[in-house]
């Protein structure tokens, strides 16, 4: 069974950077749509970045210009480069993948367990 595993989270000061990774374990799969979601304490899940097909990317307004989503199809790995981090970026970050794109995390058949990002002021 395919599983997605996130890594790269941690604690950083405001203005700093982190790079999240999402790797697939199990067997080699190539998905049409891969995305990053996050959930801050007491808030709903927020879709922050999506990569559709080989390179079509979209971003939430809250991260556009600061975060960059990319993938390595050969390794079925997904990345999220996060720059100029702010305290309100503090959240659990999840990767997700499927054969189509959706707005909700639960839409995606394959979802990781999350990695925590904490940004201090």
């Amino acid at each position: 069974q395919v599983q997605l595993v996130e890594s790269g989270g941690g604690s950083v000061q405001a203005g700093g950077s982190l790079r999240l990774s999402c790797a697939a374990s199990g067997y080699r799969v190539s998905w049409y749509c891969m995305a990053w979601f996050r959930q801050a304490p007491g808030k709903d899940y927020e879709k922050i970045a999506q990569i559709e097909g080989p390179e079509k990317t979209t971003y939430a307004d809250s991260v556009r210009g600061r975060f960059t989503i990319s993938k390595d199809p050969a390794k079925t790995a997904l990345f999220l480069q996060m720059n100029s981090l702010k305290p309100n970026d503090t959240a659990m970050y999840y990767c997700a993948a499927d054969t189509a794109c959706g707005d909700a995390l639960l839409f995606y058949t394959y979802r990781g367990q999350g990695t925590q990002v904490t940004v201090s002021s």
Side-chain angles (χ1 to χ4, degrees):
Q1 183 174 354
V2 176
Q3 291 185 322
L4 299 180
V5 180
E6 301 96 338
S7 61
S11 296
V12 64
Q13 289 190 326
S17 298
L18 285 173
R19 180 176 172 85
L20 304 184
S21 298
C22 172
S25 64
Y27 59 92
R28 201 164 174 174
V29 179
S30 179
W31 293 282
Y32 176 76
C33 190
M34 301 185 79
W36 287 97
F37 288 78
R38 68 184 180 186
Q39 186 180 32
K43 296 188 177 181
D44 291 334
Y45 289 103
E46 177 188 16
K47 185 178 183 181
I48 56 172
Q50 168 185 299
I51 185 163
E52 182 178 359
E55 58 184 23
K56 181 181 178 182
T57 58
T58 55
Y59 297 92
D61 290 343
S62 57
V63 306
R64 187 177 294 113
R66 300 187 298 122
F67 291 10
T68 303
I69 188 172
S70 62
K71 69 178 183 180
D72 181 348
K75 299 181 180 179
T76 62
L78 183 69
F79 307 98
L80 186 68
Q81 177 67 43
M82 305 187 296
N83 298 327
S84 302
L85 283 161
K86 305 175 182 180
N88 61 7
D89 291 320
T90 295
M92 186 72 79
Y93 284 70
Y94 301 88
C95 65
D98 213 314
T99 55
C101 294
D103 291 332
L105 180 60
L106 294 181
F107 170 89
Y108 290 80
T109 302
Y110 303 98
R111 305 184 295 272
Q113 294 299 308
T115 185
Q116 178 67 38
V117 171
T118 302
V119 185
S120 59
S121 57

